[in-house]
Coordinates of all heavy atoms in Angstrom, one line a residue:
M92 N -23.8 47.0 2.4 CA -22.4 46.5 2.2 C -22.6 45.0 1.6 O -23.3 44.2 2.2 CB -21.7 46.4 3.5 CG -20.2 46.1 3.3 SD -19.4 45.9 4.9 CE -18.9 47.6 5.2
A93 N -21.8 44.8 0.6 CA -21.9 43.5 0.0 C -21.2 42.5 0.8 O -20.1 42.8 1.4 CB -21.3 43.5 -1.4
P94 N -21.7 41.3 1.0 CA -21.0 40.2 1.7 C -19.7 39.9 1.0 O -19.6 39.9 -0.2 CB -22.0 39.1 1.7 CG -22.8 39.3 0.5 CD -22.9 40.8 0.3
P95 N -18.7 39.6 1.8 CA -17.4 39.1 1.2 C -17.6 37.8 0.4 O -18.4 37.0 0.7 CB -16.5 39.0 2.4 CG -17.4 38.7 3.5 CD -18.7 39.5 3.2
G96 N -16.9 37.7 -0.7 CA -17.0 36.5 -1.5 C -16.5 35.3 -0.7 O -15.6 35.3 0.1
L97 N -17.3 34.3 -0.8 CA -17.0 33.1 -0.1 C -15.8 32.4 -0.8 O -15.8 32.2 -2.0 CB -18.1 32.1 -0.1 CG -19.3 32.5 0.9 CD1 -20.4 31.5 0.8 CD2 -18.8 32.5 2.3
K98 N -14.8 32.1 0.0 CA -13.7 31.4 -0.5 C -13.6 30.1 0.2 O -13.4 30.0 1.4 CB -12.4 32.3 -0.2 CG -11.5 32.5 -1.4 CD -10.3 33.3 -1.0 CE -9.5 33.6 -2.3 NZ -8.4 34.5 -2.0
V99 N -13.7 29.1 -0.6 CA -13.7 27.7 0.0 C -12.3 27.1 -0.3 O -11.9 27.0 -1.4 CB -14.7 26.8 -0.7 CG1 -14.6 25.4 -0.1 CG2 -16.1 27.4 -0.4
T100 N -11.7 26.8 0.8 CA -10.3 26.2 0.6 C -10.4 24.7 0.9 O -10.8 24.4 2.0 CB -9.3 26.9 1.6 OG1 -9.3 28.3 1.3 CG2 -8.0 26.3 1.4
V101 N -10.2 24.0 0.0 CA -10.2 22.5 0.2 C -8.8 22.1 0.7 O -7.8 22.2 -0.1 CB -10.5 21.8 -1.1 CG1 -10.5 20.2 -0.8 CG2 -11.9 22.2 -1.6
K102 N -8.8 21.7 1.9 CA -7.5 21.3 2.4 C -7.1 19.9 1.9 O -8.0 19.0 1.9 CB -7.5 21.3 4.0 CG -7.6 22.6 4.6 CD -7.6 22.5 6.1 CE -7.7 23.9 6.7 NZ -7.8 23.8 8.2
R103 N -5.9 19.8 1.6 CA -5.5 18.4 1.2 C -5.4 17.6 2.4 O -4.8 18.0 3.4 CB -4.1 18.5 0.5 CG -4.3 19.2 -0.9 CD -2.9 19.3 -1.5 NE -2.4 17.9 -1.9 CZ -1.2 17.7 -2.4 NH1 -0.4 18.7 -2.6 NH2 -0.9 16.5 -2.6
W104 N -5.9 16.4 2.3 CA -5.9 15.6 3.5 C -5.4 14.2 3.1 O -5.5 13.8 2.0 CB -7.3 15.5 4.2 CG -8.3 14.9 3.2 CD1 -9.0 15.6 2.3 CD2 -8.8 13.6 3.2 NE1 -9.8 14.7 1.6 CE2 -9.7 13.5 2.1 CE3 -8.5 12.4 3.9 CZ2 -10.4 12.3 1.8 CZ3 -9.1 11.2 3.6 CH2 -10.1 11.2 2.5
S105 N -4.8 13.6 4.1 CA -4.3 12.2 3.8 C -4.9 11.3 4.8 O -5.0 11.5 6.0 CB -2.8 12.2 3.9 OG -2.4 12.6 5.1
A106 N -5.4 10.2 4.3 CA -6.1 9.2 5.2 C -5.2 8.3 5.8 O -5.2 7.1 5.6 CB -7.2 8.5 4.4
V107 N -4.2 8.8 6.5 CA -3.2 7.9 7.1 C -3.7 7.0 8.1 O -3.1 5.9 8.4 CB -2.1 8.8 7.7 CG1 -1.3 9.5 6.6 CG2 -2.6 9.7 8.7
A108 N -4.8 7.3 8.7 CA -5.3 6.5 9.8 C -6.4 5.5 9.3 O -6.8 4.7 10.1 CB -5.9 7.3 10.9
S109 N -6.7 5.5 8.1 CA -7.8 4.6 7.7 C -7.2 3.3 7.3 O -6.1 3.2 6.9 CB -8.5 5.2 6.5 OG -7.7 5.3 5.3
W110 N -8.0 2.3 7.4 CA -7.6 1.0 7.2 C -8.3 0.5 5.9 O -9.5 0.2 5.9 CB -8.0 0.1 8.4 CG -7.5 -1.3 8.2 CD1 -8.3 -2.4 7.9 CD2 -6.2 -1.8 8.4 NE1 -7.5 -3.5 7.9 CE2 -6.2 -3.2 8.2 CE3 -5.0 -1.2 8.7 CZ2 -5.1 -4.0 8.3 CZ3 -3.9 -2.0 8.8 CH2 -3.9 -3.4 8.6
T111 N -7.6 0.4 4.8 CA -8.3 0.1 3.6 C -8.0 -1.3 3.1 O -8.5 -1.7 2.1 CB -7.9 1.1 2.5 OG1 -6.4 1.1 2.4 CG2 -8.4 2.5 2.8
W112 N -7.1 -2.0 3.8 CA -6.8 -3.3 3.3 C -7.9 -4.3 3.5 O -8.5 -4.2 4.6 CB -5.5 -3.8 4.0 CG -5.2 -5.2 3.7 CD1 -4.8 -5.7 2.5 CD2 -5.3 -6.3 4.5 NE1 -4.6 -7.1 2.6 CE2 -4.9 -7.5 3.8 CE3 -5.7 -6.5 5.9 CZ2 -4.9 -8.8 4.4 CZ3 -5.7 -7.8 6.4 CH2 -5.3 -8.9 5.7
T113 N -8.3 -5.0 2.6 CA -9.4 -6.0 2.8 C -8.9 -7.4 2.5 O -8.2 -7.7 1.6 CB -10.5 -5.7 1.8 OG1 -10.0 -5.7 0.4 CG2 -11.2 -4.4 2.0
A114 N -9.2 -8.2 3.5 CA -8.7 -9.6 3.4 C -9.3 -10.4 2.3 O -8.7 -11.4 1.9 CB -9.0 -10.3 4.7
D115 N -10.4 -9.9 1.7 CA -11.0 -10.6 0.6 C -10.3 -10.4 -0.7 O -10.6 -11.0 -1.7 CB -12.5 -10.2 0.5 CG -13.3 -10.6 1.7 OD1 -12.9 -11.6 2.4 OD2 -14.3 -10.0 2.0
D116 N -9.4 -9.5 -0.7 CA -8.8 -9.0 -1.9 C -7.3 -9.4 -1.9 O -6.5 -8.6 -1.9 CB -9.0 -7.5 -2.1 CG -8.7 -7.1 -3.5 OD1 -8.7 -7.9 -4.4 OD2 -8.4 -5.9 -3.7
D117 N -7.1 -10.7 -1.8 CA -5.7 -11.1 -1.7 C -5.0 -11.2 -3.1 O -4.6 -12.2 -3.5 CB -5.6 -12.5 -1.1 CG -5.8 -12.4 0.4 OD1 -5.6 -11.3 1.0 OD2 -6.1 -13.4 1.1
V118 N -5.0 -10.0 -3.7 CA -4.2 -9.9 -4.9 C -3.1 -8.9 -4.8 O -3.2 -8.0 -4.0 CB -5.1 -9.6 -6.1 CG1 -6.2 -10.6 -6.3 CG2 -5.7 -8.2 -5.9
C119 N -2.1 -9.1 -5.6 CA -1.0 -8.1 -5.6 C -1.5 -6.8 -6.2 O -2.1 -6.8 -7.2 CB 0.1 -8.7 -6.4 SG 1.5 -7.6 -6.6
G120 N -1.2 -5.7 -5.5 CA -1.6 -4.4 -5.9 C -0.9 -3.9 -7.2 O -1.3 -2.9 -7.7
I121 N 0.1 -4.6 -7.5 CA 0.9 -4.2 -8.7 C 0.5 -5.0 -9.9 O 0.2 -4.4 -11.0 CB 2.4 -4.3 -8.4 CG1 2.8 -3.4 -7.2 CG2 3.2 -4.0 -9.7 CD1 4.2 -3.5 -6.8
C122 N 0.5 -6.3 -9.8 CA 0.3 -7.1 -11.0 C -1.2 -7.7 -11.0 O -1.6 -8.2 -12.0 CB 1.2 -8.3 -11.1 SG 1.0 -9.5 -9.8
H123 N -1.9 -7.5 -9.9 CA -3.2 -7.9 -9.7 C -3.4 -9.4 -9.9 O -4.5 -9.9 -10.2 CB -4.2 -7.1 -10.7 CG -4.1 -5.7 -10.5 ND1 -4.6 -5.0 -9.3 CD2 -3.5 -4.7 -11.2 CE1 -4.4 -3.7 -9.4 NE2 -3.7 -3.5 -10.5
M124 N -2.4 -10.2 -9.7 CA -2.5 -11.6 -9.7 C -2.6 -12.0 -8.2 O -2.3 -11.3 -7.3 CB -1.2 -12.3 -10.3 CG -1.0 -11.9 -11.7 SD -2.3 -12.5 -12.8 CE -1.9 -14.2 -12.9
A125 N -3.2 -13.2 -8.0 CA -3.3 -13.7 -6.6 C -2.0 -13.7 -5.9 O -1.0 -14.1 -6.5 CB -3.9 -15.1 -6.6
L126 N -2.0 -13.3 -4.6 CA -0.7 -13.3 -3.9 C -0.1 -14.7 -3.7 O 1.1 -14.8 -3.5 CB -0.9 -12.6 -2.5 CG -1.1 -11.1 -2.6 CD1 -1.5 -10.5 -1.3 CD2 0.3 -10.5 -3.0
D127 N -1.0 -15.7 -3.6 CA -0.5 -17.0 -3.5 C -0.3 -17.7 -4.9 O 0.0 -18.9 -5.0 CB -1.4 -17.9 -2.6 CG -2.8 -18.0 -3.2 OD1 -3.1 -17.4 -4.2 OD2 -3.6 -18.7 -2.5
G128 N -0.4 -16.9 -5.9 CA -0.2 -17.4 -7.2 C 1.2 -17.0 -7.7 O 2.1 -16.8 -6.9
C129 N 1.4 -16.9 -8.9 CA 2.7 -16.7 -9.5 C 2.8 -15.3 -10.0 O 2.0 -14.8 -10.8 CB 2.9 -17.7 -10.6 SG 4.5 -17.5 -11.4
A130 N 3.8 -14.6 -9.5 CA 4.1 -13.2 -10.0 C 4.7 -13.3 -11.4 O 5.3 -14.3 -11.8 CB 5.1 -12.5 -9.1
P131 N 4.4 -12.3 -12.2 CA 5.0 -12.2 -13.5 C 6.5 -12.3 -13.4 O 7.1 -11.5 -12.7 CB 4.6 -10.9 -14.1 CG 3.4 -10.5 -13.3 CD 3.6 -11.1 -11.9
G132 N 7.1 -13.2 -14.2 CA 8.6 -13.3 -14.1 C 9.1 -14.3 -13.1 O 10.2 -14.7 -13.1
A133 N 8.2 -14.8 -12.2 CA 8.6 -15.7 -11.2 C 8.6 -17.1 -11.9 O 7.8 -17.4 -12.8 CB 7.6 -15.7 -10.0
A134 N 9.4 -18.0 -11.3 CA 9.5 -19.3 -11.8 C 8.3 -20.1 -11.5 O 7.8 -21.0 -12.3 CB 10.7 -20.0 -11.2
G135 N 7.6 -19.8 -10.4 CA 6.4 -20.5 -10.0 C 5.9 -19.9 -8.8 O 6.5 -19.0 -8.1
P136 N 4.7 -20.3 -8.4 CA 4.1 -19.8 -7.1 C 4.8 -20.4 -5.9 O 5.6 -21.3 -6.0 CB 2.6 -20.3 -7.2 CG 2.7 -21.5 -8.1 CD 3.8 -21.3 -9.0
G137 N 4.4 -19.8 -4.7 CA 5.0 -20.3 -3.5 C 6.4 -19.7 -3.3 O 6.6 -18.5 -3.3
D138 N 7.3 -20.6 -3.0 CA 8.7 -20.2 -2.6 C 9.4 -19.4 -3.8 O 10.2 -18.6 -3.5 CB 9.5 -21.4 -2.3 CG 9.1 -22.0 -0.9 OD1 8.4 -21.3 -0.2 OD2 9.5 -23.1 -0.6
D139 N 8.9 -19.7 -5.0 CA 9.5 -18.9 -6.1 C 8.9 -17.6 -6.3 O 9.4 -16.8 -7.1 CB 9.4 -19.8 -7.4 CG 10.3 -21.0 -7.3 OD1 11.4 -20.9 -6.7 OD2 10.0 -22.0 -7.9
S140 N 7.8 -17.3 -5.6 CA 7.1 -16.1 -5.7 C 6.7 -15.6 -4.4 O 5.5 -15.5 -4.0 CB 5.9 -16.3 -6.7 OG 5.3 -15.0 -6.9
P141 N 7.7 -15.2 -3.5 CA 7.4 -14.8 -2.2 C 6.6 -13.5 -2.1 O 6.6 -12.7 -3.0 CB 8.7 -14.6 -1.5 CG 9.7 -14.4 -2.7 CD 9.1 -15.1 -3.8
V142 N 5.8 -13.4 -1.0 CA 5.0 -12.2 -0.8 C 5.6 -11.4 0.4 O 6.0 -12.0 1.4 CB 3.6 -12.6 -0.4 CG1 2.7 -11.4 0.0 CG2 2.9 -13.3 -1.6
V143 N 5.7 -10.1 0.2 CA 6.2 -9.3 1.3 C 5.2 -8.3 1.7 O 4.3 -7.9 0.9 CB 7.5 -8.5 0.8 CG1 8.6 -9.6 0.6 CG2 7.3 -7.7 -0.4
W144 N 5.3 -7.8 2.9 CA 4.4 -6.8 3.5 C 5.2 -5.5 3.7 O 6.3 -5.5 4.1 CB 3.9 -7.3 4.8 CG 2.9 -8.4 4.7 CD1 3.2 -9.7 4.5 CD2 1.5 -8.4 4.7 NE1 2.0 -10.5 4.4 CE2 1.0 -9.7 4.6 CE3 0.6 -7.3 4.9 CZ2 -0.4 -9.9 4.5 CZ3 -0.8 -7.6 4.9 CH2 -1.3 -8.9 4.7
G145 N 4.4 -4.4 3.5 CA 5.0 -3.2 3.9 C 4.4 -2.7 5.3 O 3.4 -3.3 5.7
K146 N 5.1 -1.8 5.9 CA 4.6 -1.3 7.2 C 3.2 -0.6 7.0 O 2.6 -0.3 8.0 CB 5.6 -0.4 7.8 CG 6.9 -1.2 8.2 CD 7.7 -0.4 9.2 CE 8.8 -1.3 9.7 NZ 9.9 -0.6 10.4
C147 N 2.9 -0.3 5.8 CA 1.6 0.3 5.6 C 0.5 -0.7 5.5 O -0.7 -0.5 5.3 CB 1.6 1.2 4.3 SG 1.9 0.2 2.8
A148 N 0.9 -2.0 5.6 CA 0.0 -3.2 5.6 C -0.5 -3.6 4.2 O -1.4 -4.3 4.1 CB -1.2 -2.9 6.5
H149 N 0.2 -3.1 3.2 CA -0.1 -3.6 1.9 C 0.9 -4.7 1.5 O 2.1 -4.6 2.0 CB -0.1 -2.4 0.9 CG -1.2 -1.5 1.0 ND1 -1.1 -0.1 1.2 CD2 -2.5 -1.7 1.1 CE1 -2.2 0.4 1.3 NE2 -3.2 -0.5 1.3
N150 N 0.5 -5.6 0.8 CA 1.4 -6.7 0.4 C 1.5 -6.9 -1.1 O 0.5 -6.7 -1.8 CB 1.0 -8.0 1.2 CG -0.4 -8.3 1.0 OD1 -1.2 -7.5 0.5 ND2 -0.8 -9.5 1.5
F151 N 2.6 -7.3 -1.5 CA 2.9 -7.5 -2.9 C 3.8 -8.7 -3.1 O 4.5 -9.1 -2.2 CB 3.5 -6.2 -3.5 CG 2.8 -5.0 -3.2 CD1 3.1 -4.2 -2.1 CD2 1.7 -4.6 -4.0 CE1 2.4 -3.0 -1.8 CE2 1.0 -3.4 -3.7 CZ 1.4 -2.6 -2.6
H152 N 3.9 -9.2 -4.3 CA 4.9 -10.1 -4.6 C 6.2 -9.4 -4.5 O 6.4 -8.3 -4.8 CB 4.8 -10.6 -6.1 CG 3.5 -11.4 -6.3 ND1 2.5 -10.9 -7.2 CD2 3.0 -12.5 -5.8 CE1 1.5 -11.8 -7.2 NE2 1.8 -12.8 -6.4
L153 N 7.2 -10.2 -4.0 CA 8.5 -9.6 -3.8 C 9.1 -9.1 -5.1 O 9.7 -8.0 -5.2 CB 9.5 -10.6 -3.2 CG 10.9 -10.2 -3.0 CD1 11.0 -8.9 -2.1 CD2 11.8 -11.3 -2.5
L154 N 8.8 -9.9 -6.2 CA 9.3 -9.5 -7.5 C 8.7 -8.2 -7.9 O 9.3 -7.3 -8.5 CB 9.0 -10.6 -8.5 CG 10.0 -11.8 -8.5 CD1 9.4 -12.8 -9.4 CD2 11.3 -11.3 -9.0
C155 N 7.4 -8.0 -7.7 CA 6.7 -6.8 -8.1 C 7.1 -5.6 -7.4 O 7.4 -4.6 -8.0 CB 5.2 -7.0 -7.9 SG 4.5 -8.4 -8.9
I156 N 7.2 -5.7 -6.1 CA 7.6 -4.5 -5.3 C 9.1 -4.2 -5.6 O 9.5 -3.0 -5.6 CB 7.3 -4.7 -3.8 CG1 7.4 -3.3 -3.1 CG2 8.2 -5.7 -3.1 CD1 6.3 -2.3 -3.5
S157 N 9.9 -5.2 -5.8 CA 11.3 -4.9 -6.1 C 11.4 -4.1 -7.4 O 12.2 -3.2 -7.5 CB 12.0 -6.2 -6.2 OG 12.0 -6.9 -5.0
T158 N 10.7 -4.5 -8.4 CA 10.7 -3.8 -9.6 C 10.2 -2.4 -9.4 O 10.7 -1.4 -9.9 CB 9.8 -4.5 -10.7 OG1 10.3 -5.8 -10.8 CG2 9.8 -3.8 -12.0
W159 N 9.1 -2.2 -8.7 CA 8.5 -0.9 -8.4 C 9.5 0.0 -7.7 O 9.6 1.2 -8.0 CB 7.2 -1.1 -7.5 CG 6.6 0.1 -7.0 CD1 6.8 0.8 -5.9 CD2 5.6 0.9 -7.7 NE1 6.0 1.9 -5.8 CE2 5.3 2.0 -6.9 CE3 4.9 0.7 -9.0 CZ2 4.3 2.9 -7.3 CZ3 4.0 1.7 -9.3 CH2 3.7 2.8 -8.5
L160 N 10.2 -0.6 -6.7 CA 11.1 0.2 -5.9 C 12.4 0.7 -6.7 O 13.1 1.5 -6.2 CB 11.5 -0.5 -4.6 CG 10.4 -0.7 -3.7 CD1 10.8 -1.6 -2.5 CD2 9.8 0.6 -3.2
Q161 N 12.5 0.2 -7.9 CA 13.6 0.6 -8.7 C 13.4 2.1 -9.2 O 14.3 2.8 -9.5 CB 13.8 -0.3 -9.9 CG 14.5 -1.6 -9.5 CD 14.5 -2.6 -10.6 OE1 14.4 -2.2 -11.8 NE2 14.8 -3.9 -10.3
S162 N 12.2 2.5 -9.2 CA 11.9 3.8 -9.7 C 11.1 4.6 -8.7 O 11.0 5.8 -8.8 CB 11.1 3.8 -11.0 OG 9.9 3.0 -10.9
K163 N 10.5 4.0 -7.6 CA 9.7 4.7 -6.7 C 10.2 4.3 -5.3 O 10.8 3.3 -5.1 CB 8.2 4.3 -6.8 CG 7.7 4.3 -8.2 CD 7.1 5.6 -8.6 CE 6.5 5.4 -10.0 NZ 6.0 6.7 -10.6
T164 N 9.8 5.1 -4.3 CA 10.1 4.8 -2.9 C 8.8 4.7 -2.1 O 8.9 4.6 -0.9 CB 11.0 5.8 -2.3 OG1 10.4 7.1 -2.4 CG2 12.3 5.9 -3.0
S165 N 7.6 4.8 -2.7 CA 6.4 4.8 -2.0 C 5.6 3.6 -2.4 O 5.8 2.9 -3.4 CB 5.6 6.1 -2.4 OG 5.4 6.1 -3.8
C166 N 4.6 3.3 -1.5 CA 3.7 2.2 -1.7 C 2.8 2.5 -2.9 O 2.3 3.6 -3.1 CB 2.8 2.0 -0.5 SG 1.5 0.8 -0.7
P167 N 2.7 1.5 -3.8 CA 1.9 1.7 -5.0 C 0.4 2.0 -4.7 O -0.3 2.6 -5.6 CB 2.0 0.4 -5.8 CG 3.2 -0.3 -5.2 CD 3.3 0.2 -3.8
I168 N 0.0 1.6 -3.6 CA -1.5 1.7 -3.3 C -1.7 3.0 -2.5 O -2.6 3.8 -2.8 CB -2.0 0.5 -2.5 CG1 -2.0 -0.7 -3.5 CG2 -3.4 0.7 -2.0 CD1 -2.5 -2.0 -2.9
C169 N -1.0 3.2 -1.4 CA -1.4 4.3 -0.5 C -0.4 5.4 -0.5 O -0.6 6.4 0.1 CB -1.5 3.7 1.0 SG 0.1 3.2 1.7
R170 N 0.7 5.2 -1.3 CA 1.7 6.3 -1.5 C 2.5 6.6 -0.2 O 3.2 7.6 -0.2 CB 1.1 7.6 -2.0 CG 0.2 7.3 -3.2 CD 0.9 6.9 -4.4 NE 0.0 6.7 -5.5 CZ 0.4 6.2 -6.7 NH1 1.6 5.8 -6.9 NH2 -0.5 5.9 -7.6
R171 N 2.3 5.8 0.8 CA 3.2 6.1 2.0 C 4.6 5.6 1.7 O 4.8 4.8 0.8 CB 2.7 5.3 3.2 CG 1.4 5.9 3.8 CD 0.9 4.9 4.8 NE 1.8 4.7 6.0 CZ 1.5 5.1 7.2 NH1 0.3 5.7 7.5 NH2 2.3 4.9 8.2
N172 N 5.5 6.2 2.4 CA 6.9 5.7 2.2 C 7.0 4.2 2.4 O 6.6 3.8 3.5 CB 7.8 6.5 3.2 CG 9.2 6.4 2.8 OD1 9.6 6.4 1.6 ND2 10.1 6.2 3.8
W173 N 7.6 3.6 1.5 CA 7.6 2.1 1.6 C 8.6 1.6 2.6 O 9.8 2.0 2.5 CB 7.8 1.5 0.3 CG 7.9 0.0 0.4 CD1 9.0 -0.8 0.4 CD2 6.8 -0.9 0.4 NE1 8.6 -2.1 0.6 CE2 7.3 -2.2 0.5 CE3 5.4 -0.8 0.4 CZ2 6.5 -3.4 0.6 CZ3 4.6 -1.9 0.5 CH2 5.1 -3.1 0.6
E174 N 8.2 0.8 3.5 CA 9.2 0.1 4.4 C 8.7 -1.3 4.5 O 7.5 -1.6 4.7 CB 9.2 0.7 5.8 CG 9.9 2.1 5.8 CD 10.0 2.6 7.3 OE1 10.8 2.1 8.0 OE2 9.1 3.4 7.7
F175 N 9.6 -2.2 4.4 CA 9.3 -3.6 4.5 C 8.9 -3.9 6.0 O 9.6 -3.5 6.9 CB 10.5 -4.5 4.1 CG 10.6 -4.6 2.6 CD1 11.6 -3.8 2.0 CD2 9.8 -5.4 1.8 CE1 11.8 -3.8 0.6 CE2 10.0 -5.4 0.5 CZ 11.0 -4.7 -0.2
A176 N 7.9 -4.6 6.2 CA 7.5 -5.1 7.5 C 8.0 -6.5 7.7 O 8.2 -7.3 6.7 CB 6.0 -5.1 7.6
P177 N 8.4 -6.8 8.9 CA 9.0 -8.1 9.2 C 8.0 -9.3 9.0 O 8.4 -10.4 8.6 CB 9.4 -8.1 10.6 CG 8.6 -6.9 11.2 CD 8.3 -6.0 10.1
S178 N 6.7 -9.0 9.1 CA 5.7 -10.1 8.9 C 4.4 -9.4 8.7 O 4.2 -8.2 8.9 CB 5.7 -11.0 10.1 OG 5.3 -10.3 11.3
A179 N 3.4 -10.2 8.4 CA 2.1 -9.7 8.2 C 1.5 -9.2 9.5 O 1.7 -9.8 10.5 CB 1.2 -10.8 7.6
P180 N 0.9 -8.0 9.4 CA 0.2 -7.5 10.6 C -1.0 -8.3 11.0 O -1.6 -8.9 10.1 CB -0.1 -6.1 10.2 CG -0.4 -6.2 8.7 CD 0.6 -7.2 8.2
P181 N -1.4 -8.3 12.2 CA -2.6 -8.9 12.7 C -3.8 -8.3 12.0 O -3.7 -7.1 11.7 CB -2.6 -8.8 14.2 CG -1.7 -7.6 14.4 CD -0.7 -7.6 13.4
P182 N -4.9 -9.0 11.8 CA -6.0 -8.4 11.1 C -6.6 -7.2 11.8 O -7.2 -6.4 11.1 CB -7.0 -9.6 11.1 CG -6.2 -10.8 11.3 CD -5.0 -10.4 12.1
S183 N -6.5 -7.2 13.1 CA -7.1 -6.1 13.8 C -6.1 -4.9 14.0 O -6.4 -4.0 14.8 CB -7.6 -6.6 15.2 OG -6.5 -7.0 15.9
A184 N -5.0 -5.0 13.3 CA -4.0 -3.9 13.5 C -4.6 -2.5 13.1 O -5.3 -2.4 12.2 CB -2.8 -4.2 12.7
T185 N -4.2 -1.6 13.9 CA -4.5 -0.2 13.5 C -3.3 0.6 13.3 O -2.3 0.3 14.0 CB -5.4 0.5 14.6 OG1 -4.7 0.4 15.8 CG2 -6.7 -0.2 14.7
L186 N -3.3 1.4 12.4 CA -2.1 2.2 12.0 C -1.9 3.4 13.0 O -2.8 4.2 13.2 CB -2.2 2.7 10.6 CG -2.2 1.6 9.5 CD1 -2.4 2.2 8.2 CD2 -0.9 0.8 9.6
A187 N -0.8 3.5 13.6 CA -0.5 4.6 14.4 C -0.1 5.8 13.6 O 0.5 5.7 12.6 CB 0.6 4.3 15.4
E188 N -0.6 6.9 14.0 CA -0.2 8.1 13.3 C 1.2 8.6 13.8 O 1.3 9.2 14.8 CB -1.2 9.2 13.6 CG -2.5 8.9 12.9 CD -3.5 10.1 13.0 OE1 -3.1 11.2 12.4 OE2 -4.5 10.0 13.6
D189 N 2.2 8.2 13.0 CA 3.5 8.5 13.5 C 4.1 9.7 12.7 O 5.3 10.0 12.7 CB 4.4 7.3 13.3 CG 4.4 6.8 11.8 OD1 3.8 7.5 11.0 OD2 4.9 5.7 11.6
G190 N 3.2 10.5 12.1 CA 3.6 11.7 11.5 C 4.1 11.4 10.1 O 4.7 12.3 9.5
Ligands
ZN201 ZN1 2.5 -9.0 -8.1
ZN202 ZN1 0.5 0.9 1.2

């Protein structure tokens, strides 16, 4: 009897629990400019180019994510549903699997 053909099913997986943010890479994930620098279209760095955090722990210039959210609802980096976080998460934060 011939062995049944092997069928390999690659399950799609999402790395929701992994922590990919690196503190050494303080650039905006959208425009790739420094987060403490000036976003494209901003009058200048600092108060004129505020940085916002998402609950997924990715951060972007407010101008950049605002433009992005005009056509998308997900984080540009991790594709999680974008939600603004009230403040930057602590460096040791771990993401809870909330489904
Ligand atoms: Zn930016
Ligand atoms: Zn993200």
Side-chain angles (χ1 to χ4, degrees):
M92 187 185 274
L97 286 177
K98 232 178 184 178
V99 178
T100 303
V101 179
K102 289 182 183 173
R103 294 180 63 186
W104 59 280
S105 56
V107 292
S109 67
W110 182 258
T111 54
W112 175 68
T113 55
D115 295 334
D116 193 23
D117 282 343
V118 299
C119 174
I121 297 176
C122 70
H123 302 290
M124 300 295 286
L126 284 169
D127 59 359
C129 180
D138 289 345
D139 289 328
S140 183
V142 173
V143 294
W144 290 79
K146 291 199 173 166
C147 63
H149 290 126
N150 49 353
F151 307 97
H152 296 116
L153 177 59
L154 280 171
C155 295
I156 194 66
S157 295
T158 302
W159 175 267
L160 291 176
Q161 286 174 14
S162 57
K163 316 267 188 187
T164 58
S165 56
C166 172
I168 292 181
C169 68
R170 310 290 179 190
R171 285 172 66 116
N172 192 44
W173 178 263
E174 286 185 77
F175 285 99
S178 63
S183 61
T185 53
L186 295 176
E188 290 188 63
D189 54 11

